[in-house]
Each structure stands twice: as structure tokens, then as C-alpha cells.
Amino acid sequence: MANKPISVAVTGAAGQISYSLLFRIASGALFGLDQPVSLRLIEVDPALRALEGVAMELDDCAFPLLDSIEMTSDLKVGFDGVNWAILVGAMPRKAGMERGDLLGINGKIFGPQGAAIAAHGASDVKVFVVGNPCNTNSMIARDAAKDLPADRFFAMTRLDQNRAKSQLAKKAGVAVTEVSNVAIWGNHSATQFPDFLNARISGRPVVDVIEDHDWLHGDFITTVQKRGAAIIDARGASSAASAASAAIDSIKSIITPTPEGDCVSLVVPSRGEYGIEEGLQFGFPIRSDGTSWRVVEGFDLDDFAKSKIAITTNELIAERQEIKAILANS
Ligand code: NAD
Ligand code: LMR
């Protein structure tokens, strides 16, 4: 007998990330080739017409696994019974902006969404935030969804992990499949710490394989930290296909056991691991057993790593301070 469809809400469904993401979800690339999917596409009213065009294209793909499409600007309808809420809808950063500039604008979106997900989502609903600044937006949604366990709230540092992997593979002259255990610590922003110390190439520490340690401590980190801005500079728009691909990788990594000896990078609520203040939505190395996740213990952090992690932690604490009023109202 065919599986019951999994119900997936995507906000910002007429935007550029969704234009790649939705087609991959509908094709079975996320939940598997035996899992039908119902899509609940959420947009603001002015974008509903464009969304109709996206839905026409989804229809025109004749995806065997696409069970139904619902389009709405009503959060109650959009999140009704959903198993996953993928929150993409937000204003993207333009040239010259830092992600923090988006805090005030986008922060207001995520409280009502968190509350609606808690009220109308399925009993197992999980929430994955892509819209920036994604760590703090996921904190706002989590805070507004007080009835839901905190461990259901994730945000995306997987794009940074993939970027870091690709840079390390290029430098070492190996395939990306040889690079493992890459953690992104902290905020999905220019303060993040892409961790080369614990990463491995063909099972060996990266620092033993890549001899240019100045590059690891310098250009490697800044390239990953500033990759989003470099793409905006070159493309005139923020990353979209790679962001959608990372969203697929992220959710897959939550619902699939993590391969032995590896970790995945995800933003999750801190329970105080590695001394990070409890409750911050923080990028950690994670392992999943397919149903629950945990922060990987025992990563070696030297003084350099600790100082970098302190910077990104302080930025997240400052962001939390900035949205205090939003949290208090939720
Ligand atoms: P986009 O402007 O192309 O699309 C955003 C869509 O969201 C628009 O169609 C808009 O109408 C919709 N929207 C706005 N407010 C909404 C609301 N309240 N409810 C529902 N929909 C709403 O932007 P994009 O390129 O798709 O990027 C979306 C977000 O993802 C941005 O915040 C961007 O910065 C972020 N992003 C995050 C990562 C990451 O790694 N975490 C990577 C890339 C982009
Ligand atoms: C990215 O990392 O590409 C996105 O977060 C977009 C941005 O604003 O940098």
C-alpha cells in the first residue's frame, strides 16, 4: 500500500530559493522515492499570483509523488496538519547589507509563524528556518511556539558546511567525498567559525593533509564567512540553488542516521554544550539517529577556535538582545 503523504509547508514559496527547493521536494529528493508529498505553499498576498505560476510548473512536471498543492497567505491554513514547516520567506540581503540589518524586518515574520505552527501543525511537526538571520529567526519562532519541544527547531548552517567542504577539497586536490566532520560553529553570518581543526580528509586530520596552515587560519575562514556576500556581489542576488540544495541536505540529515565518524552542521537550541549559553540557537556539530539528534561531544577546540567561537556567540547574544521586545510579545 502507498505511504500516506507527508505534509510540508514552505513559506516564501514564490521566491528564488523555493523555485529550486519545491521541485526537489516534489521529485522525492528529500523524503525518498516511496514517499508521497503534499505541499502547502505560503506567500504574502501580493506574491500569490506568481505562486500560481510556480504551482502550474509543479503540475507540469507530473511528479508521481506530488499528492497535492495548497496555496495560501493564511498561516492557519498553510500550517494545518503539517509535518515539516520550512520557513524560507523573508527579505534577502542586498549588496552592502549585513544579515543583522534584516533582524528588525524579518524578525516580525517568525513570531506569528511559530505560534501558528504550534497551534495547527501535526503533533510531530518540525521547523527548519532558512530565512535570515536564520539563527535568531528560529529563536523567535521557537519562543512563540511554547507548546512545542525546543528540539524541533532548526536553522541552516549546512550551506556553510558545504562551502567549507568544497574549499578544503579544492585546496587538498581531493573529491568532496573525502572531506568529513566539518562543523560550523555559531551564527550563519560573517562571524561563524568553520572548523578545520576537527575536520578530516580521507580520515586524516585536515591540518596533517593541508600544510598551508596560514591559509586554514586565514583565507579559508574568511572565504566561507563571506561567501554569501561574494555571491550577492557576482550574481546581484543572494544564493538560491545552493541554499535550496543545502536545505535538502539539512532536513535529510535530520531524518537519516549520520554516517559513522561524521557530523552534520545544524543550528539547534543550545543545552549548554561546549559552554554555549543555554537557549541560543547555535550552529553545532550534530549527529542524528534518524529520529533524535545530539551535539557531538569531544571536539578539540584550541585557543584560536575558542576565541572565534566567543566572537560568534557574542554576536548571537547581541541579536537576542535586539529582539527582546519581539520575544516579550510572543
Ligand atoms: P526571495 O526574495 O526571492 O523570496 C522570498 C519570498 O518570501 C518572496 O516571494 C516573498 O514574497 C516571501 N515572503 C516575504 N515575507 C513573507 C511572509 N511573511 N510569509 C510568507 N512569504 C513571505 O528570497 P530568497 O532568495 O528566496 O531568500 C529567502 C531567505 O533565505 C532570505 O532571508 C535569504 O537571506 C535567506 N537565505 C538563507 C540562507 C542560509 O544559508 N540560511 C541562504 C540563502 C538565503
Ligand atoms: C548566504 O549565505 O548565501 C545567504 O545567507 C545569503 C546572504 O545574505 O549571505
Side-chain angles (χ1 to χ4, degrees):
M1 199 175 74
N3 289 329
K4 186 171 165 269
I6 189 165
S7 179
V8 183
V10 180
T11 68
Q16 46 155 5
I17 292 177
S18 291
Y19 196 63
S20 172
L21 179 65
L22 296 175
F23 294 84
R24 294 193 60 194
I25 297 175
S27 74
L30 176 51
F31 295 106
L33 297 176
D34 57 356
Q35 177 57 64
V37 181
S38 291
L39 286 176
R40 306 188 79 84
L41 308 183
I42 303 177
E43 258 298 349
V44 290
D45 285 324
L48 285 175
R49 177 78 187 121
L51 185 57
E52 278 173 27
V54 176
M56 285 185 229
E57 287 205 63
L58 282 163
D59 281 342
D60 293 351
C61 292
F63 286 122
L65 292 167
L66 184 54
D67 180 74
S68 65
I69 303 173
E70 171 88 35
M71 287 173 276
T72 184
S73 59
D74 180 341
L75 298 182
K76 183 168 177 248
V77 174
F79 292 123
D80 186 36
V82 298
N83 307 104
W84 276 94
I86 307 178
L87 307 185
V88 182
M91 185 183 144
R93 180 161 69 127
K94 310 268 163 44
M97 288 169 89
E98 278 305 317
R99 292 189 187 93
D101 298 332
L102 298 175
L103 210 54
I105 307 167
N106 290 337
K108 293 192 186 75
I109 296 175
F110 290 84
Q113 290 183 349
I117 292 165
H120 306 290
S123 57
D124 67 347
V125 66
K126 294 190 181 71
V127 183
F128 184 74
V129 178
V130 175
N132 279 322
C134 63
N135 296 56
T136 298
N137 288 340
S138 65
M139 181 190 280
I140 295 170
R142 190 192 81 201
D143 187 73
K146 292 199 183 358
D147 296 343
L148 289 181
D151 65 0
R152 308 270 194 90
F153 287 82
F154 306 88
M156 188 156 98
T157 41
R158 178 59 180 252
L159 181 53
D160 311 296
Q161 179 192 338
N162 289 348
R163 288 167 172 166
K165 247 187 173 178
S166 155
Q167 292 298 318
L168 292 170
K170 265 196 186 148
K171 184 76 175 175
V174 300
V176 282
T177 46
E178 294 300 312
V179 185
S180 62
N181 223 39
V182 178
I184 302 295
W185 296 86
N187 204 1
H188 170 64
S189 78
T191 66
Q192 66 178 277
F193 175 52
D195 179 351
F196 54 86
L197 284 166
N198 294 282
R200 288 191 278 270
I201 293 177
S202 310
R204 293 170 60 209
V206 160
V207 288
D208 292 351
V209 178
I210 295 178
E211 285 169 7
D212 186 351
H213 287 193
D214 286 345
W215 179 80
L216 287 172
H217 286 82
D219 282 354
F220 164 67
I221 295 177
T222 51
T223 300
V224 178
Q225 287 175 332
K226 296 185 178 160
R227 188 68 157 189
I231 288 165
I232 292 170
D233 226 35
R235 222 172 74 84
S238 71
S239 62
S242 58
S245 189
I248 298 278
D249 289 344
S250 305
I251 295 175
K252 247 191 187 167
S253 76
I254 295 168
I255 59 176
T256 314
T258 312
E260 210 40 58
D262 207 351
C263 72
V264 290
S265 288
L266 284 165
V267 173
V268 295
S270 168
R271 298 156 173 156
E273 296 92 342
Y274 294 92
I276 302 304
E277 211 176 294
E278 215 177 312
L280 283 183
Q281 287 285 123
F282 199 86
F284 280 115
I286 300 292
R287 285 187 61 78
S288 172
D289 64 9
T291 45
S292 62
W293 58 264
R294 63 179 174 80
V295 172
V296 185
E297 287 166 17
F299 267 49
D300 286 328
L301 299 173
D302 63 9
D303 287 345
F304 177 79
K306 283 182 186 155
S307 71
K308 294 285 178 200
I309 291 173
I311 293 170
T312 195
T313 306
N314 287 338
E315 184 180 53
L316 282 169
I317 291 171
E319 286 187 13
R320 186 181 58 188
Q321 185 62 26
E322 269 188 66
I323 50 121
K324 240 182 161 171
I326 299 176
L327 294 183
N329 290 331
S330 69

